[in-house]
Amino acid sequence: MTTTTKEGSAVVQARRVLVLNSGSSSVKYQLLDMNDRSRLAIGLVERIGEETSRLLHTPLTGGDAETRERTGRIADHAAALKAAAEELAADGLGLDSPELAAIGHRVVHGGLRFTEPTVITDEVLTEIERLVPVAPLHNPANITGIRTAQALRPDLPQVAVFDTAFHTTMPEYAARYAIDVETADAHRIRRYGFHGTSHAYVSRKAAELLGRAPEEVNVIVLHLGNGASASAVAAGRCVETSMGLTPLEGLVMGTRSGDIDPAVTFHLKRVAGMSTDEIDVLLNKKSGLVGLCGDNDMREIRRRIDEGDERAALAFDIYVHRLKKYIGAYSAVLGRVDAVVFTAGVGENSAPVREAAIAGLEELGLVVDAGLNAVRSGEPRLISPNYARVAVAVVPTDEELEIADQTFALVGQAEPAGQQVPVGQVDN
Ligand code: AMP
């Protein structure tokens, strides 16, 4: 967007934000226009480093959103971001544009230090590196993404939005494990919680759906994706969450066990002779729904149940039983609950999971209306009947929008300030 000054130079309003979510072998990106918070383009580079790398890019500025695909080896994150930048440039959305205000990065672990979105400096990056031992799977990929983006646009503010930040308001009695304090502190062992950007966004949207301010409501958020976590949010602040030092704790997930007796790990080591790395892979990648029945996609599990598959049915029951335990526990933690909110892939799409998780909880004021629950929609919506004491809702999450909002709030330019460039150089 541009305006023209008296002198004839154009003032470019830098109001675009690029959101980057860098995983170990993938980069997801979205370019947003913060004038109306609309998406200009979305994309994904996956299987980075393999022969079968793939880039999917969808520009959203024209009429029909048509996805372009590139296949063939993309060697590393730098090459992935370069390829994404080329695709964006082909749509007139080049990352060299003066309209780009900032790059917002999803960073998984911010420890106790990062309680807010933070402009990335060398010192901040060093601190994110110091947290690698508590997030060995995630933070290294996030750091690579940041370095790559910095190399691409060294002049631009880069902002880290931490998955853990929303949970830093948890009281000490919820965040501490009951283990030796010196050992815990020496190794920074405590409950950090993850998916915080989603829990923050969804709990705020739920308050909006109820027509009330976030400070007025207590909400239980159930983020049920391939990874899954629950949080108890009192008056807009997180007071408890199910993931812990790492994303392994809590609910049954697609491939993670969630809660187990920690002694299972000693047992596997001493009796089954497994190494620490093997146990890590077992609990993070071969457990949860996939460990229980061989499938981690809830659609496939429901299909198998409809065909009478008993293993799939047991996996579903274990998944739902764990959910119920957390709803009950967090009701007790909050004292008064105004809404239970489902979000993410399973939470937004699986009516049977929502129905089963709430069934039998009438004593807690929780009821689901079968008709409302069956409605498919991309909008926030209530699925409890009018008479229910506690609202049950489905609120689609939008972590990228939340990252863009937080990034822009931190570094976005207030109007009418802007970068002045001669008219001919304006990139639309
Ligand atoms: P997410 O991590 O939020 O992208 O969620 C991914 C998971 O959502 C998948 O593994 C599926 O189990 C689940 N999912 C996605 N679409 C549906 C659907 N239509 N019905 C049931 N489950 C779904």
Side-chain angles (χ1 to χ4, degrees):
M1 181 190 260
T2 61
T3 51
T4 308
T5 63
K6 279 190 297 219
E7 297 76 32
S9 58
V11 178
V12 176
Q13 303 290 336
R15 298 182 68 86
R16 288 181 189 160
V17 173
L18 178 71
V19 175
L20 285 184
N21 182 353
S22 306
S24 55
S25 64
S26 70
V27 176
K28 291 186 202 141
Y29 61 92
Q30 295 198 1
L31 184 67
L32 289 96
D33 178 350
M34 300 314 287
N35 285 304
D36 57 1
R37 298 160 82 230
S38 64
R39 261 151 261 241
L40 299 170
I42 61 175
L44 160 73
V45 188
E46 56 188 359
R47 300 194 286 272
I48 295 172
E50 295 177 33
E51 293 308 319
T52 57
S53 309
R54 183 164 79 141
L55 181 151
L56 296 173
H57 176 88
T58 312
L60 299 168
T61 45
D64 290 336
E66 209 166 294
T67 300
R68 300 198 293 270
E69 183 175 352
R70 277 197 201 188
T71 49
R73 182 175 154 82
I74 295 177
D76 52 24
H77 283 71
L81 196 54
K82 189 163 158 280
E86 284 166 10
E87 293 297 333
L88 286 163
D91 299 323
L93 299 169
L95 298 184
D96 53 354
S97 165
E99 290 193 61
L100 189 60
I103 301 180
H105 297 266
R106 175 185 182 214
V107 179
V108 167
H109 215 309
L112 287 182
R113 155 85 191 272
F114 297 112
T115 59
E116 302 280 345
T118 305
V119 175
I120 299 168
T121 59
D122 288 348
E123 194 265 325
V124 168
L125 206 49
T126 304
E127 187 58 28
I128 297 172
E129 268 169 350
R130 265 188 10 100
L131 289 161
V132 166
V134 285
L137 298 178
H138 296 98
N139 273 29
N142 301 152
I143 292 165
T144 306
I146 291 168
R147 287 199 197 287
T148 307
Q150 282 178 329
L152 201 71
R153 280 294 304 265
D155 56 313
L156 212 61
Q158 313 259 342
V159 174
V161 178
F162 298 93
D163 259 26
T164 45
F166 183 61
H167 304 302
T168 53
T169 53
M170 267 188 297
E172 197 64 5
Y173 55 75
R176 273 208 181 262
Y177 293 114
I179 62 172
D180 173 65
V181 171
E182 277 79 32
T183 307
D185 287 350
H187 300 286
R188 291 186 284 183
I189 297 168
R190 59 190 284 119
R191 176 182 307 288
Y192 292 99
F194 299 89
H195 292 146
T197 312
S198 175
H199 286 281
Y201 175 85
V202 168
S203 56
R204 235 182 24 248
K205 277 276 176 194
E208 203 178 298
L209 183 67
L210 299 181
R212 294 165 69 185
E215 299 74 37
E216 293 172 4
V217 294
N218 291 348
V219 182
I220 297 173
V221 178
L222 303 169
H223 176 110
L224 311 179
N226 199 27
S229 62
S231 69
V233 183
R237 291 162 69 85
C238 177
V239 294
E240 178 62 285
T241 194
S242 60
M243 285 178 165
L245 172 74
T246 77
L248 181 56
E249 193 181 351
L251 301 175
V252 176
M253 312 183 206
T255 66
R256 297 188 194 120
S257 62
D259 297 334
I260 55 163
D261 179 348
V264 169
T265 57
F266 324 144
H267 187 80
L268 289 170
K269 206 159 186 173
R270 290 178 188 140
V271 179
M274 290 175 72
S275 70
T276 306
D277 285 349
E278 285 168 342
I279 297 170
D280 190 332
V281 170
L282 175 80
L283 297 180
N284 275 297
K285 304 247 189 257
K286 297 183 180 172
S287 296
L289 292 170
V290 93
L292 288 166
C293 73
D295 271 309
N296 61 337
D297 192 314
M298 194 52 80
R299 286 163 288 202
E300 187 56 19
I301 291 171
R302 290 303 311 175
R303 196 193 56 72
R304 284 172 55 186
I305 293 171
D306 289 344
E307 288 176 352
D309 185 319
E310 286 180 10
R311 263 183 80 191
L314 180 59
F316 183 85
D317 289 347
I318 293 170
Y319 183 93
V320 166
H321 177 70
R322 186 80 53 87
L323 266 179
K324 267 189 208 285
K325 287 210 290 191
Y326 271 88
I327 294 169
Y330 286 6
S331 297
V333 165
L334 288 170
R336 188 202 81 227
V337 181
D338 297 294
V340 173
V341 192
F342 290 88
T343 193
V346 177
E348 290 167 30
N349 295 299
S350 180
V353 165
R354 297 191 297 253
E355 184 193 327
I358 299 298
L361 301 184
E362 294 82 1
E363 286 294 318
L364 296 178
L366 291 164
V367 188
V368 162
D369 178 287
L372 293 175
N373 192 30
V375 173
R376 296 192 65 82
S377 157
E379 294 298 315
R381 58 201 184 273
L382 291 175
I383 57 168
S384 48
N386 284 339
Y387 64 81
R389 192 152 46 81
V390 179
V392 183
V394 180
V395 174
T397 193
D398 196 336
E399 289 164 278
E400 288 77 15
L401 181 61
E402 182 71 13
I403 291 171
D405 276 342
Q406 292 194 13
T407 299
F408 198 64
L410 196 61
V411 301
Q413 293 169 342
E415 288 185 53
Q419 198 179 334
Q420 291 208 2
V421 294
V423 171
Q425 290 181 18
V426 174
D427 172 0
N428 288 308

